[in-house]
């Protein structure tokens, strides 16, 4: 339990909540319990309702909170508070490395990616989707594979393009960025190169740059490629690798009311996929002297780390199943899910430290284990922090009773409907 309270000390949780105005000093709400109830309540799938989160809180806190008192706390300020906790956790928690690749040659290896979360259609104004009568949010991550940590998280509506969240600049110096097709743009590649950074990206299907030179010589009657467009020739090739220099043309940003055209030379590498009888094509500015085609394919597989994170969030934490039309609650649940993931990975790090070296913990199997033990961990954490919840019988009475005196329960409604009516 000390591991968790070191990650998020109770004193910090309380003080930061008071700074933001999440809770006033005179209120009885116990913020540390609320945070942990959201974290472990979200991890436990059967409790992922607002009523379930409240029950998790009441089973841990010194005093129970009513449904109305709980729901009125679900505000934009609480969402902002939880986001701050996520950012704090990102600085502390490592994400396990899932790919073996030589990344020590770079200052950092950065992975940018995003995923769409489907929301209630009533949220279409706040979270516009690409299709009518739908709502969707997009979660953007910038993952540092070298430091094994997530450096930045952004949440937008589905319509926001991933590339708008990726800013070039001096921070790229010495860093390798692995980009998927959503970030494919020649001008972006040029800016990364001009900031002394490196990139590897899949080549878009409609990208057809001109080959200016072959970077590898082939024996025999090899098809000459210089002067050809890449998409016009690669289907006729049977060689194991393609390794060529290409020239691309793009427009610079507007300056003094005009946008000038520019050209840049990059490297295109193809690694043959025998099963599909085609090539995996990559564009990069990494030099051939240091990086062979197989090296680039191995480096690009580091992107699997982020794909694994997204898959875990969606399959294990059901991140894209938010059945609420309240935009504030959507943000609160989103950050609760990310906090659950961070706490889960922090505990995995502890378990790995304590276990024998030969034991392996697959991330998805660990996630399922963490979920199944979430309520037990919450109970033990509450005891460790010194909380004394009401007796179990009192909690059962509180949770099971009818809340609204004027609202009949289903059995009462059916019984009344079944009674014969007296004739006037």
């Amino acid at each position: 339990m000390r591991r968790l309270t070191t990650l998020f000390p109770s004193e910090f949780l309380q003080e930061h909540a008071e700074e933001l105005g999440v809770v006033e000093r005179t209120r009885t709400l116990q913020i540390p319990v609320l945070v942990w109830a959201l974290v472990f309540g979200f991890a436990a799938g059967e409790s992922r309702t607002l009523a379930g989160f409240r029950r998790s809180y009441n089973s841990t806190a010194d005093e129970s909170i009513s449904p109305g008192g709980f729901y009125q706390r679900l505000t934009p300020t609480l969402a902002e508070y939880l986001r701050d906790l996520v950012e704090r956790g990102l600085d502390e928690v490592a994400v396990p490395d899932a790919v073996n690749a030589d990344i020590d040659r770079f200052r950092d290896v950065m992975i940018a990616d995003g995923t769409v979360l489907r929301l209630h259609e009533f949220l279409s104004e706040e979270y516009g989707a690409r299709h009518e009568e739908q709502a969707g949010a997009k979660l953007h991550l910038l993952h540092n594979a070298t430091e094994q940590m997530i450096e930045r998280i952004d949440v937008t509506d589905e319509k926001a393009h991933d590339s708008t969240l990726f800013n070039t600049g001096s921070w790229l110096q010495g860093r390798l960025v692995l980009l998927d097709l959503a970030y494919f743009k020649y001008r972006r590649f040029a800016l990364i190169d001009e900031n002394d950074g490196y990139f590897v990206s899949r080549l878009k299907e409609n990208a057809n740059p001109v080959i200016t030179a072959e970077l590898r010589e082939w024996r025999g009657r090899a098809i000459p490629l210089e002067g050809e467009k890449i998409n016009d020739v690669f289907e006729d090739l049977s060689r194991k690798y393609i390794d060529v220099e290409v020239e691309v043309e793009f427009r610079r940003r507007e300056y003094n009311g005009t946008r000038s055209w520019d050209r840049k030379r990059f490297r295109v590498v193809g690694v043959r996929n025998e099963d599909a009888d085609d090539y995996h094509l990559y564009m990069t500015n990494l030099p051939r002297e240091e990086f062979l085609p197989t090296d680039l394919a191995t480096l690009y597989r580091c992107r699997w780390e982020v794909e694994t994170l997204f898959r875990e969030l969606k399959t294990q934490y059901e991140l894209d199943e938010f059945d609420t039309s309240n935009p504030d609650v959507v943000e609160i649940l989103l950050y609760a899910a990310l906090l659950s993931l961070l706490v889960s990975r922090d505990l995995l790090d502890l378990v790995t430290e304590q276990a024998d070296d030969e034991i392996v913990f697959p991330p998805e199997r660990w996630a399922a284990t963490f979920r199944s033990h979430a309520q037990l961990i919450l109970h033990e954490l509450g005891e460790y922090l010194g909380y004394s919840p009401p007796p179990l019988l009192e909690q059962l009475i509180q949770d099971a009773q009818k809340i609204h005196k004027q609202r009949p329960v289903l059995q009462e409604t059916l019984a009344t409907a079944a009674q014969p009516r007296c004739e006037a």
Side-chain angles (χ1 to χ4, degrees):
M1 297 301 110
R2 185 181 297 111
R3 183 69 167 244
L4 297 179
T5 56
T6 300
L7 179 62
F8 295 116
S10 294
E11 184 177 355
F12 164 78
L13 294 175
Q14 184 68 35
E15 289 180 353
H16 191 54
E18 292 173 359
E19 290 173 1
L20 291 182
V22 177
V23 63
E24 297 177 5
R25 294 179 182 272
T26 56
R27 297 291 179 89
T28 58
L29 182 71
Q30 294 173 307
I31 280 292
V33 180
L34 178 62
V35 170
W36 294 120
L38 289 172
V39 168
F40 292 106
F42 200 98
E46 64 274 12
S47 300
R48 198 176 301 127
T49 63
L50 296 183
F53 288 124
R54 185 180 68 86
R55 283 192 290 270
S56 293
Y57 176 91
N58 287 344
S59 67
T60 309
D62 293 331
E63 295 183 19
S64 299
I65 187 172
S66 67
F70 182 78
Y71 301 147
Q72 72 179 16
R73 316 284 181 171
L74 307 179
T75 64
T77 306
L78 178 59
E80 179 186 356
Y81 173 73
L82 294 177
R83 179 188 173 91
D84 290 348
L85 298 188
V86 170
E87 291 180 352
R88 175 188 172 93
L90 293 177
D91 293 336
E92 302 293 335
V93 179
V95 179
D97 187 4
V99 179
N100 294 321
D102 184 7
I103 60 178
D104 294 335
R105 308 184 193 184
F106 307 99
R107 175 183 161 202
D108 289 304
V109 175
M110 312 299 295
I111 305 170
D113 206 351
T115 190
V116 173
L117 312 174
R118 190 59 55 213
L119 303 178
H120 197 289
E121 61 182 12
F122 289 167
L123 293 171
S124 58
E125 290 189 8
E126 293 86 354
Y127 292 97
R130 294 182 178 178
H131 302 286
E132 293 184 2
E133 299 181 356
Q134 285 189 353
K138 183 172 283 189
L139 176 65
H140 308 262
L141 296 182
L142 183 62
H143 174 51
N144 188 324
T146 303
E147 299 295 332
Q148 299 181 31
M149 61 182 292
I150 301 170
E151 288 208 353
R152 195 184 73 235
I153 287 180
D154 293 290
V155 180
T156 66
D157 60 30
E158 183 185 350
K159 289 182 178 179
H161 200 279
D162 298 82
S163 62
T164 60
L165 276 295
F166 185 88
N167 297 317
T168 54
S170 58
W171 69 274
L172 288 163
Q173 184 176 5
R175 284 174 159 164
L176 169 66
V177 185
L178 305 178
L179 302 168
D180 76 353
L181 294 178
Y183 300 85
F184 190 95
K185 206 169 190 178
Y186 293 146
R187 180 163 58 87
R188 177 170 294 109
F189 298 159
L191 290 172
I192 293 174
D193 186 67
E194 289 160 8
N195 278 282
D196 296 325
Y198 305 96
F199 72 90
V200 179
S201 170
R202 291 293 294 268
L203 187 70
K204 263 192 173 182
E205 288 187 5
N206 62 354
N208 201 16
V210 176
I211 299 171
T212 56
E214 293 192 57
L215 302 180
R216 173 171 177 168
E217 294 184 2
W218 294 90
R219 297 178 180 178
R221 300 173 60 184
I223 299 175
L225 303 181
E226 188 172 339
E228 302 288 343
K229 291 188 174 181
I230 188 72
N231 282 336
D232 296 343
V233 295
F234 82 88
E235 291 184 354
D236 299 327
L237 302 177
S238 59
R239 60 186 67 171
K240 191 172 183 180
Y241 304 114
I242 299 173
D243 199 348
V244 297
E245 179 189 72
V246 299
E247 185 174 78
V248 301
E249 188 177 35
F250 60 96
R251 298 187 73 176
R252 293 284 184 178
R253 285 184 178 176
E254 185 174 326
Y255 183 74
N256 287 337
T258 60
R259 296 184 64 187
S260 60
W261 286 92
D262 202 350
R263 293 183 178 184
K264 198 88 172 177
R265 293 192 176 187
F266 296 121
R267 180 184 173 199
V268 169
V269 167
V271 178
R272 189 162 187 80
N273 180 358
E274 296 295 346
D275 295 333
D277 193 28
D278 64 2
Y279 289 91
H280 293 306
L281 295 172
Y282 306 92
M283 179 169 282
T284 183
N285 63 340
L286 292 173
R288 171 174 169 72
E289 295 77 23
E290 298 182 49
F291 297 92
L292 298 175
T294 51
D295 296 329
L296 295 181
T298 301
L299 281 171
Y300 197 79
R301 281 199 294 271
C302 288
R303 288 188 47 78
W304 181 246
E305 291 191 26
V306 173
E307 298 296 335
T308 301
L309 284 177
F310 286 148
R311 187 173 67 180
E312 182 177 335
L313 283 168
K314 289 189 172 183
T315 59
Q316 297 296 332
Y317 298 96
E318 300 175 9
L319 186 62
D320 56 349
E321 297 184 14
F322 291 151
D323 189 18
T324 176
S325 58
N326 187 324
D328 298 330
V329 174
V330 167
E331 288 196 44
I332 289 169
L333 294 181
L334 174 59
Y335 293 128
L338 294 172
L339 283 171
S340 295
L341 177 63
L342 291 171
V343 168
S344 169
R345 292 302 174 90
D346 197 39
L347 288 179
L348 174 57
D349 190 42
L350 175 62
V351 168
T352 304
E353 290 174 4
Q354 299 298 319
D356 294 337
D357 293 341
E358 65 272 11
I359 298 179
V360 177
F361 299 97
E364 292 191 359
R365 183 174 179 84
W366 165 257
T369 302
F370 174 73
R371 285 186 60 190
S372 65
H373 290 77
Q375 291 300 321
L376 177 60
I377 299 172
L378 178 61
H379 176 73
E380 293 201 6
L381 180 60
E383 290 187 344
Y384 178 81
L385 293 173
Y387 293 109
S388 301
L392 178 59
L393 182 58
E394 183 178 328
Q395 293 182 47
L396 293 175
I397 294 173
Q398 178 70 25
D399 286 339
Q401 64 181 288
K402 185 170 69 176
I403 299 173
H404 301 284
K405 294 183 179 180
Q406 301 301 322
R407 182 184 300 171
V409 295
L410 177 61
Q411 291 89 337
E412 294 173 352
T413 304
L414 293 175
T416 302
Q419 291 178 354
R421 296 182 179 180
C422 297
E423 296 182 1

